[in-house]
Every structure is written in structure tokens, then in C-alpha cells.
Amino acid sequence: MSRKRTALALSLGLLFAGGAAAETLPHRDDFKMNSIGGGDFRDYVMEHVSEDDGWAQLMQTIGVLHNHMHEIMSDFARHARDETGDDQVPAFGTRISGGQWSDYRAGLEDAETEGPWRDLVQITEIMHDRVHHMMVSAVFYDQVSRQRDLDLEELLGERAPHDQADTLPAADTLAVNGMAGTEFRRHVWTADFEEPLRHAMMQKVTVFDSMMDDVMTQLAQYGLGKLERDCRPPDFGSRMNTSSWANYAERVSACEEEQWQDLVLVTGLARDRIDHMLSKLHAYDTAGD
């Protein structure tokens, strides 16, 4: 295994287990990530992942997670546009795309907008792209493990230009102040929301957070069937959470299946940025309290 993957696994373990230091807000430009479009992912699963097993169920769950992610991002945008009067929100149809969200973040930068909402928009962009990185990592693993006969370069085009090892970030980019889903849910359940779009987006984010736990749990359950011990997760009870995934990331550093190892590590990075988004949404919602 590469030193880069080993360092990332250890860094994830320290980050999730011990919390984060003082935060420097990262930017999307700080990272290399591979990706796959949501429609391409859906078509890949529907056309190629036809087995009736836990892996197929996981791939479908990832697809639903992706769709729900865009639902909450669209709610964020509608809240900003319709309830706060933010004229930087780009025009979009039923759902805002990742490219439109990047345009939104860039517009806030150009306008030198500062504050908790700008922070949320910036971290949401990174979270969105990391989820798409997890999706393409699942496709890479699926093609190798199920020996699919197709040309991924033709499917992905320019969305996956990097060697996967080059997409694993340096340890000094991982120090984030995340928020546990249980804590975020407690806030949503006990808060009073006068703005209906704000209320909807907060409720939907709790569902999104729980769905990510579903993805990790299904992935870990599938990993239990691995012949190689280092590819299997440690004991994790009934459901995976952030700290349990950190233990898995440490163990998988010795796994000989490179694509599986990458999928586990990138899933941890996606979980990390969802926790980070929760903290920024909470900071925005409580600003001025």
C-alpha cells in the first residue's frame, strides 16, 4: 500500500477519534477529486448492477443519498433566495446542480460576502464533490470486483482525470470542526423555525445525515464477507457511525484490495465533510442567538 494511503488512514483515525484543532476553512481548490455525474451513476447501476445482493442494495442507497443531497442543496438555495433575499443565488430548475452551486460560491467570493452562510456554502461545495468522489470510487470497485465489461473512461470522460492515490488529501487538510449527527438532530428537534424553507432544509439534513450512516453500515456489512481480515471492518454493533468508521479506516490501510481500500477511505472523507457541513449549518442557524 502507498505511504499516502497509510498516512490518510492514520490521519482519519486521529481526526475522528480526537476531534480537530483550530479550524482554517478549506476551499474546493485545495483538493483533487474524481467524480461521476448523478445520471451516469444511476444509469450504471440500472444497467450493470443487476445482482440481488447487499452490494447492489448499497449502490442503490448511494444513488438515493446523492439525490437527497441535491434536494437539501436546493432547499439551501431557495431559503437564501426567497427568505433572505440573496441575489447571488443562480437561477435553477427543480434542483440545483453542482456546477450551479460552484457558481454560487464563486459569486459570494466575488462579492466578498463573509459570515456563517458563506462558510456553509463553501463547505457544502466540498461535501458535494466528496460524495461524488465516493460514488465514482464505488464504480471503480464494482467494475474490478464484478469484472464488468465496459470502458469507464468513455463513461466518465473528464470527470475522473486523477489517479485515485492522488485524490487522497494531505493530513494537514483534514483538521475540521465537525458536528455529530445526534447533536445536530437534538438542535433541530428542539428549535423553533418561523421560516418554512429554513425548517424544511434543517429537517431534510437530519435525514441526509442518517442516510450516510446507512451507506456506511451497508458498506461495512458487505465488507464482513471479505476473506482478508484487514479488508473487513472491526466490530461495529448494529450501525456504523463516524468513530466506528475511523477504526475501519485504520484497519483497511493493510488491505491488499486497492479499490476497496480507496472506497473505504473516500467514504470516510465524505462522512467527515457531512459532519463539517452540519457544524456550519448549526453555526448559521444559531448566529445571533
Side-chain angles (χ1 to χ4, degrees):
M1 182 180 123
S2 71
R3 293 181 180 179
K4 196 165 191 177
R5 288 186 176 86
T6 302
L8 175 60
L10 294 175
S11 298
L12 282 170
L14 291 171
L15 172 64
F16 290 139
E23 181 180 28
T24 299
L25 199 65
H27 193 279
R28 176 59 183 89
D29 293 344
D30 296 334
F31 305 101
K32 293 179 180 179
M33 301 189 210
N34 288 322
S35 183
I36 184 173
D40 289 335
F41 182 84
R42 178 198 61 224
D43 292 345
Y44 179 91
V45 172
M46 293 179 67
E47 182 176 352
H48 301 288
V49 189
S50 58
E51 298 84 1
D52 183 15
D53 59 8
W55 174 254
Q57 179 64 46
L58 167 65
M59 293 290 274
Q60 294 171 24
T61 303
I62 291 174
V64 175
L65 176 86
H66 162 265
N67 289 345
H68 196 76
M69 174 180 68
H70 280 274
E71 292 289 341
I72 66 171
M73 291 167 64
S74 300
D75 279 0
F76 286 176
R78 293 187 188 98
H79 162 71
R81 181 190 64 198
D82 299 340
E83 293 181 335
T84 74
D86 186 351
D87 60 6
Q88 293 291 338
V89 177
F92 65 96
T94 304
R95 295 195 313 177
I96 195 166
S97 68
Q100 290 167 327
W101 191 267
S102 294
D103 291 342
Y104 181 31
R105 185 266 304 156
L108 294 177
E109 286 181 354
D110 292 343
E112 298 184 351
T113 304
E114 296 183 356
W117 182 257
R118 154 71 188 276
D119 292 349
L120 173 63
V121 170
Q122 186 165 325
I123 296 307
T124 298
E125 180 185 29
I126 299 172
M127 181 278 299
H128 164 272
D129 288 1
R130 194 61 82 184
V131 169
H132 277 268
H133 190 188
M134 177 181 69
M135 291 161 64
V136 79
S137 299
V139 170
F140 287 150
Y141 173 76
D142 178 80
Q143 188 201 29
V144 170
S145 64
R146 300 294 171 100
Q147 299 179 333
R148 311 290 187 196
D149 184 18
L150 76 158
D151 184 355
L152 281 187
E153 290 187 8
E154 181 177 343
L155 172 68
L156 301 175
E158 298 180 355
R159 299 196 63 149
H162 308 293
D163 183 271
Q164 278 284 76
D166 293 336
T167 67
L168 304 180
D172 60 5
T173 67
L174 294 177
V176 302
N177 294 320
M179 185 176 195
T182 51
E183 184 180 355
F184 183 81
R185 284 194 297 275
R186 187 177 299 112
H187 167 72
V188 173
W189 288 345
T190 58
D192 293 323
F193 300 102
E194 297 181 358
E195 301 159 308
L197 294 176
R198 186 189 192 113
H199 181 229
M201 75 184 192
M202 297 294 285
Q203 293 286 352
K204 285 183 182 178
V205 168
T206 65
V207 177
F208 178 61
D209 173 71
S210 180
M211 289 177 65
M212 185 62 191
D213 285 349
D214 289 342
V215 167
M216 295 190 305
T217 300
Q218 291 177 25
L219 192 59
Q221 288 170 340
Y222 180 81
L224 288 172
K226 293 287 183 183
L227 296 177
E228 186 183 343
R229 178 184 179 278
D230 292 328
C231 299
R232 299 196 301 265
D235 293 337
F236 59 90
S238 60
R239 278 177 70 78
M240 268 284 179
N241 55 29
T242 298
S243 60
S244 298
W245 202 262
N247 295 332
Y248 195 5
E250 289 187 46
R251 171 178 287 193
V252 84
S253 64
C255 176
E256 295 295 328
E257 291 186 57
E258 187 173 289
Q259 287 81 11
W260 180 256
Q261 184 189 124
D262 286 342
L263 177 55
V264 171
L265 294 177
V266 173
T267 298
L269 294 173
R271 172 76 266 180
D272 171 30
R273 291 303 171 189
I274 291 173
D275 290 349
H276 201 186
M277 183 191 71
L278 296 182
S279 73
K280 293 306 175 188
L281 183 54
H282 178 266
Y284 167 73
D285 193 57
T286 56
D289 287 356

